[in-house]
């Protein structure tokens, strides 16, 4: 399926004007960056690079796409689009890398014509996926090593659900409820049953919770997770252990005062001999609720709404700006919407302990001298050369490792959930 119409009209009208006046073939660099982090955030996580590169490969105008834009474009522009294939270069941060204000997350190099039409495709993918991954990383930090399961598919668009599951897995979640994410990206699929299955086992004599549990255990084995809060949690836990025995894998609590209930359920399970049975909690959890439960005997968290909606994952705020034309630096000076001209790359400085202290953005190909007591790690990698995808900057397993390493490298206050400055400063080195 072509991705060419996942764009905004003004990109094609700019293309038409540039083709008409001859400027369409000037060599340009467009840069993706965030001027600032969302309120309360101290770092961001780059995600979606792999999805963008997949979408780029399908960015072409066949007859159906050309017919849909023929009403406002001239013949020269339609002919150009009919033969469009991106043939330029792309470099940027590998997927899973942390980013900060001003980080050159992605740079697109080529003619104005072939670069300008990619703006919306780039931003719609990177802004969505990076926002989800950044929120998910905060939850991973708050969980302090306990398992997190993404289960937000029913709270967002069906395609966004798959992308969100992918981004959450990169950030450190253990898996997802979404089967498309497993099929498309290999994200582990997790899940057992909902309250409907328990309610299904109601007869003229009344609810039969044990029958529901027995059916689930018969089908899935004693290692399954039983949902115990459909009626009365204390009775539900007793029924679960009566049916599955003390080897039951886990119970899930999806309502109520989770802190109080988890303590009661743990005590009850231990009293029944089910000391190895884990406790999974869900119910509109976010990073703050997860942090509040750190002292409780929770083993896993199920997170949905707060991860995939705007309240939990505000936009990454990335923009796509022209920064160089035929080797000349260009930049916006608009108040609060400024950009910095020139093709750029970046490196990150760290102490011998591994703790990062600064990000340095510099002219591409001209890294600055840095303090010899600090380790300088280049961040920018090749992603596309002459239209061909290269490197592993979008490998999911590597991305997942980068997030974990990046979080581990932050100063201790950079992991705070309260409002504060970005975890490290970004320094722009201008050409001499």
């Amino acid at each position: 399926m072509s991705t060419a119409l996942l764009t905004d009209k003004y990109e094609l009208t700019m293309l038409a004007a540039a083709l008409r006046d001859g400027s369409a073939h000037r060599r340009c660099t467009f840069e993706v960056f965030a001027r600032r982090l969302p309120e309360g955030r101290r770092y961001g996580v780059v995600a979606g690079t792999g999805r963008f590169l997949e979408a780029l490969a399908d960015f072409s105008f066949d007859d159906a796409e050309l017919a849909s834009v023929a009403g406002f474009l001239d013949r020269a522009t339609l002919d150009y689009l009919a033969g469009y294939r991106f043939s330029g270069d792309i470099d940027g941060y590998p997927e899973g890398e942390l980013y900060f204000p001003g980080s050159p997350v992605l740079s697109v190099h080529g003619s104005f014509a072939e670069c300008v039409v990619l703006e919306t495709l780039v931003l719609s993918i990177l802004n969505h996926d990076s926002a989800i991954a950044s929120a998910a990383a905060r939850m991973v930090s708050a969980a302090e090593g306990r398992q997190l399961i993404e289960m937000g598919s029913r709270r967002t668009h069906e395609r966004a659900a798959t992308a969100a599951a992918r981004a959450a897995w990169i950030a450190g979640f253990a898996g997802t409820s979404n089967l498309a994410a497993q099929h498309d990206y290999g994200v582990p699929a997790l899940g057992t049953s909902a309250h409907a299955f328990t309610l299904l086992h109601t007869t003229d004599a009344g609810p039969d919770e044990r029958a529901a549990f027995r059916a689930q255990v018969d089908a899935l084995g004693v290692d399954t997770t039983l949902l115990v809060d459909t009626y009365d949690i204390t009775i539900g836990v007793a029924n679960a252990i009566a049916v599955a025995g003390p080897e039951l894998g886990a119970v899930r609590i999806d309502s109520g005062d989770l802190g109080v209930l988890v303590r009661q359920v743990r005590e009850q399970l231990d009293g029944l001999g089910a000391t190895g049975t884990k406790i999974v909690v869900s119910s509109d959890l976010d990073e703050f609720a997860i942090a509040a439960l750190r002292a409780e005997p929770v083993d896993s968290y199920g997170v949905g709404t707060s991860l995939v909606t705007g309240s939990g994952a505000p936009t990454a705020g990335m923009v796509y700006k022209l920064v160089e034309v035929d080797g000349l630096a260009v930049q916006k000076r608009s108040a609060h919407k400024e950009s910095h001209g020139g093709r750029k790359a970046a490196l990150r400085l760290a102490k011998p302990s591994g703790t990062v202290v600064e990000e340095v953005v510099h002219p591409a190909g001209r890294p600055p001298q840095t303090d010899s007591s600090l380790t300088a790690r280049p961040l920018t990698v090749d992603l596309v050369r002459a239209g061909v995808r290269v490197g592993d900057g979008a490998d999911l397993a590597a991305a997942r490792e980068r997030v974990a390493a990046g979080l581990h490298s932050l100063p201790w206050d950079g992991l705070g959930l309260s409002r504060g400055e970005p975890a490290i400063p970004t320094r722009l080195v201008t050409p001499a």
Side-chain angles (χ1 to χ4, degrees), residues 5 12 61 64-74 78 81:
L5 296 182
L12 300 191
F61 289 81
E65 287 75 39
L66 291 171
S68 72
V69 298
F72 65 90
L73 295 177
D74 58 25
L78 292 172
L81 293 175

Side-chain angles (χ1 to χ4, degrees), residues 293-371:
L293 289 168
R294 277 193 290 224
E296 309 303 340
V298 176
D299 297 290
S300 298
Y301 303 90
V303 184
T305 304
S306 66
L307 180 61
V308 302
T309 64
S311 59
T315 178
M318 294 181 183
V319 294
Y320 184 88
K321 297 301 176 185
L322 181 63
V323 295
E324 190 171 277
V325 178
D326 289 337
L328 301 173
V330 297
Q331 61 189 50
K332 282 182 63 175
R333 295 187 175 89
S334 308
H336 308 298
K337 289 192 173 183
E338 67 283 349
S339 62
H340 299 287
R343 181 171 177 170
K344 296 181 278 296
L347 50 85
R348 194 165 291 157
L349 305 182
K351 298 177 182 179
S353 65
T355 301
V356 294
V357 297
E358 185 180 41
E359 184 153 316
V360 180
V361 178
H362 59 85
R366 297 165 60 185
Q369 292 288 333
T370 58
D371 187 332

Side-chain angles (χ1 to χ4, degrees), residues 215-277:
Q216 184 175 324
V217 170
D218 287 347
L220 303 178
V222 296
D223 197 40
T224 191
T225 299
L226 297 177
L227 183 58
V228 295
D229 69 340
T230 304
Y231 305 115
D232 178 276
I233 290 179
T234 300
I235 295 173
V237 170
N239 285 337
I241 301 305
V243 168
E247 302 304 314
L248 175 64
V251 297
R252 179 160 76 96
I253 306 170
D254 188 50
S255 60
D257 186 332
L258 294 179
V260 172
L261 292 174
V262 166
R263 289 194 298 274
Q264 293 175 349
V265 168
R266 181 73 271 160
E267 183 177 349
Q268 184 181 5
L269 287 170
D270 292 347
L272 293 170
T275 56
T277 299

